[in-house]
Amino acid sequence: MPSFKLTTIHEASLVTLKDSTVDLSSCATPGEIRFIDCVAAGKGTHETNLNFPPKDVPYAAVSYVWRGYPTKKPPTPLPAFSVKGAESGEPINIRVFTQICAAAAREGVELLWLDRLCIMQTHKDDKAWQIQQMHNVYQRCAVCFVLPGGIGRLAELGEDTAWIHRGWTLQELLAPPRALVLFAWTHGAGSYSGAAAGRIEQITPCAQCAMADATDVLQLSIAGEMSFAPDSPEGGWDTTRHVSVPVHLFGAPAAPQAWATMGALRLRGSEAGEGAVWRSALMRTSSRPVDMVFSIMGLFGVALNPAHFDGDDRVGATAVLAKKILEKGRSATWIGASFHLPTSAQLSSFPAFPRSSVSGRAMVVVEERMEEVLNVVDGDYMSQWWLKNAPKGRIDDDGYLIIRVPAAAVSRTEERGDATPGVANTSIGSEASHYHITDLQGKIWKVDRHKPPSRSTSTMVLFVGMEGRMPSATTTYEYSEDTPVRAIAVEAHEQGRYHRVASFFLGKCFEREMQSWQVTEVAVGGPSSLNRGQLEVLRKKDFKVRRKPIEPN
């Protein structure tokens, strides 16, 4: 038992849980953190603790997909149970549950936090309060167990699962100090090599279940395979039995989503890492659009109150999150989340927000066609880059991003050109009065050197940052570093207010040219207005998190 006192609020034999429904509504108190006692679970029961343990008491957390993952139909039904209020999620497989507890014990952890069981799924206020604590729960855990196949069964390394496409799982990988992937495995303990090197450990000797470092599994998924050598009975590796194993748990090889997640993981805590979070979130989905904001807010040190937002209001919640990020002195890194997607109709410093579905992929309308975001987020450009030196600023009361950046007056032309990065915009030309630049859609714009921007300027080009590249020992970059400058064109839709209409990858020669651009304050947003409810929430002054437990009804 843990060294501090546990208050038991629910206790049941795992045998009797088969085909039953656990209901905490009559025994739990809203607004408190609860845990499963893994030691008791290993003996066939489970307990739940009401209070957050002291900081020196370790616990484990779990990351998994609630539903939407096609399970393999076993010959006989697997023993499982449900949770009151969460019946829409797949039932909890008792065998998987005991393997999680066994993995925790192997890691020297006696307590487990599993959202399905530890949140009062029937209590709206408790769920809202728990969402505010979610980042802290994962950040303070000793280890997070990642179950890409969900809680109903363990997936094999070679399966392409939905885990990396779900909104909440990004935070669940980035916040913990350590994460381990649990998967179905029949080859025993041993060592792997390839894009990453490490060990696979069996959780229990008899069960066909193992675990490995989550960062390594992500890197191996990007590569698509690994080499595995089982342990020799005499000790050490059995080098005569090397086998090649496909690894697709986190998507197809070199998938943009996997690269964005790897960037967020490797570069976490930096401006580059925050940009990768925005990009990765674009390619993820959830049952409620607003959860795409709640699931990443803690990664920026922000805690919004879910009670202030409608479940479908991703736009309004994003505006408030952006406001809080900038108030912390951070950069508007979301500008570089994608230069290829259409822009949001209400917050045009952002890309268009994808349609969200818990059982599908993130989709967006591009040129009147529905496209999967991961196929268009980077266009034909590589996925392994990030935006550095993004502007800082503020969000005003109408949701506009106010920034001061180098700017130049531009005008559209009817001409078109080659938009290929590394080919377009690598020279400025010799004209004293003007030059041309080509946007990522191949449209050519004229930059007027003798007309500095003013409040009456209808169209401007803005410098928004530079390209940074994520180091990779396994990837040779297809594109040169000849176009590192990032810029956007904005067009006025009313006096002093602009919306984003084009994006540019500009050559190194523009680093010097931009020194002649005039630093200008620009309001970027719209062109459509936020609705009344969104504006009311955006203009609220107090978003404090309620730290004390919610009083019971």
Side-chain angles (χ1 to χ4, degrees):
M1 294 286 287
S3 58
F4 62 97
K5 181 176 171 49
L6 282 171
T7 302
T8 302
I9 63 169
H10 186 274
E11 186 173 11
S13 166
L14 293 179
V15 175
T16 62
L17 280 177
K18 181 181 177 181
D19 299 327
S20 68
T21 300
V22 173
D23 185 1
L24 299 182
S25 60
S26 62
C27 59
T29 302
E32 295 185 334
I33 302 293
R34 307 168 194 94
F35 290 91
I36 298 160
D37 182 352
C38 291
V39 175
K43 297 176 181 177
T45 65
H46 76 275
E47 297 182 356
T48 313
N49 176 46
L50 275 173
N51 299 308
F52 213 118
K55 288 187 177 181
D56 60 347
V57 175
Y59 65 90
V62 183
S63 173
Y64 64 101
V65 176
W66 267 53
R67 59 184 183 274
Y69 185 71
T71 58
K72 291 182 177 179
K73 297 295 184 181
T76 57
L78 296 173
F81 64 95
S82 299
V83 178
K84 183 73 171 178
E87 292 88 350
S88 59
E90 61 185 333
I92 298 174
N93 182 322
I94 294 176
R95 294 177 187 174
V96 173
F97 178 70
T98 55
Q99 286 299 309
I100 297 170
C101 290
R106 186 182 178 90
E107 292 296 306
V109 177
E110 299 182 354
L111 296 178
L112 179 71
W113 189 86
L114 176 66
D115 60 354
R116 186 83 63 85
L117 277 170
C118 297
I119 295 176
M120 296 177 66
Q121 302 295 339
T122 57
H123 200 291
K124 182 179 179 180
D125 288 342
D126 186 66
K127 291 175 73 173
W129 185 82
Q130 299 280 354
I131 287 174
Q132 291 178 296
Q133 316 303 319
M134 201 74 73
H135 181 264
N136 290 336
V137 168
Y138 281 94
Q139 188 178 51
R140 279 188 52 185
C141 73
V143 60
C144 178
F145 297 117
V146 176
L147 279 69
I151 203 73
R153 71 179 183 94
L154 295 175
E156 299 176 358
L157 282 177
E159 293 185 56
D160 185 353
T161 72
W163 183 91
I164 203 167
H165 299 287
R166 298 297 184 262
W168 286 102
T169 58
L170 179 61
Q171 173 178 259
E172 294 160 6
L173 178 66
L174 299 184
R178 186 163 175 255
L180 297 171
V181 179
L182 272 59
F183 50 92
W185 184 252
T186 59
H187 301 292
S191 301
Y192 55 82
S193 59
R199 282 193 56 79
I200 290 177
E201 300 289 356
Q202 282 186 294
I203 294 175
T204 55
C206 298
Q208 296 179 344
C209 176
M211 58 186 181
D213 181 79
T215 304
D216 285 356
V217 175
L218 177 59
Q219 186 67 65
L220 293 167
S221 291
I222 292 173
E225 63 179 356
M226 70 177 185
S227 179
F228 175 73
D231 290 344
S232 169
E234 292 77 26
W237 302 351
D238 186 351
T239 56
T240 65
R241 296 173 57 199
H242 269 281
V243 293
S244 179
V245 180
V247 184
H248 300 147
L249 277 178
F250 297 139
Q257 174 60 292
W259 271 117
T261 303
M262 180 59 78
L265 190 60
R266 283 187 181 176
L267 305 170
R268 55 185 163 184
S270 67
E271 178 190 50
E274 292 185 354
V277 167
W278 286 113
R279 183 179 297 179
S280 184
L282 279 176
M283 292 179 271
R284 293 171 179 262
T285 185
S286 64
S287 57
R288 303 190 313 159
V290 74
D291 282 338
M292 295 308 305
V293 179
F294 298 153
S295 64
I296 63 172
M297 64 184 180
L299 298 172
F300 298 96
V302 176
L304 305 179
N305 188 339
H308 292 160
F309 303 93
D310 181 81
D312 293 327
D313 190 13
R314 182 174 181 175
V315 171
T318 298
V320 178
L321 176 58
K323 178 180 179 180
K324 296 303 175 183
I325 289 171
L326 295 181
E327 287 176 353
K328 290 177 173 290
R330 294 178 172 171
S331 304
T333 54
W334 61 81
I335 293 176
S338 175
F339 287 104
H340 294 83
L341 288 174
T343 59
S344 166
Q346 295 164 295
L347 304 173
S348 64
S349 65
F350 284 88
F353 298 111
R355 297 185 182 183
S356 189
S357 167
V358 75
S359 60
R361 304 290 181 92
M363 307 293 290
V364 67
V365 177
V366 179
E367 296 179 352
E368 300 182 353
R369 295 193 314 272
M370 189 66 70
E371 299 278 1
E372 189 173 351
V373 174
L374 66 81
N375 292 330
V376 293
V377 65
D378 289 307
D380 294 326
Y381 200 58
M382 63 183 187
S383 305
Q384 308 93 297
W385 76 276
W386 49 276
L387 183 69
K388 61 182 180 180
N389 303 327
K392 297 182 178 182
R394 62 184 176 87
I395 300 292
D396 72 7
D397 284 348
D398 294 316
Y400 281 77
L401 171 64
I402 311 299
I403 51 176
R404 286 182 56 82
V405 293
V410 296
S411 56
R412 300 172 187 263
T413 74
E414 298 300 319
E415 301 175 60
R416 298 188 65 86
D418 189 343
T420 305
V423 176
N425 305 318
T426 55
S427 62
I428 294 177
S430 57
E431 290 285 344
S433 60
H434 68 274
Y435 54 88
H436 293 89
I437 54 177
T438 305
D439 68 24
L440 293 178
Q441 302 302 314
K443 299 175 183 178
I444 295 178
W445 300 67
K446 178 181 176 181
V447 182
D448 191 331
R449 277 181 160 153
H450 299 320
K451 186 180 179 182
S454 66
R455 287 185 60 84
S456 61
T457 302
S458 61
T459 314
M460 291 184 281
V461 59
L462 313 178
F463 166 69
V464 293
M466 301 289 294
E467 175 190 291
R469 295 193 175 185
M470 190 168 67
S472 174
T474 60
T475 300
T476 301
Y477 291 126
E478 176 183 354
Y479 294 96
S480 69
E481 298 182 73
D482 292 335
T483 51
V485 179
R486 299 293 180 263
I488 62 173
V490 294
E491 188 172 79
H493 51 268
E494 59 181 271
Q495 182 70 33
R497 291 187 168 180
Y498 295 80
H499 61 279
R500 182 171 167 177
V501 293
S503 300
F504 305 87
F505 287 9
L506 303 177
K508 291 181 178 179
C509 54
F510 284 86
E511 293 184 60
R512 175 176 293 182
E513 174 63 20
M514 282 188 307
Q515 296 177 13
S516 66
W517 290 10
Q518 179 174 299
V519 175
T520 306
E521 182 172 278
V522 186
V524 183
S528 300
S529 300
L530 297 175
N531 63 41
R532 181 177 177 180
Q534 291 168 333
L535 292 173
E536 287 177 356
V537 176
L538 180 65
R539 294 167 183 173
K540 281 181 179 289
K541 302 301 181 183
D542 185 10
F543 280 93
K544 292 182 179 179
V545 178
R546 182 164 37 185
R547 295 293 181 186
K548 294 182 179 179
I550 300 171
E551 294 297 327
N553 292 334

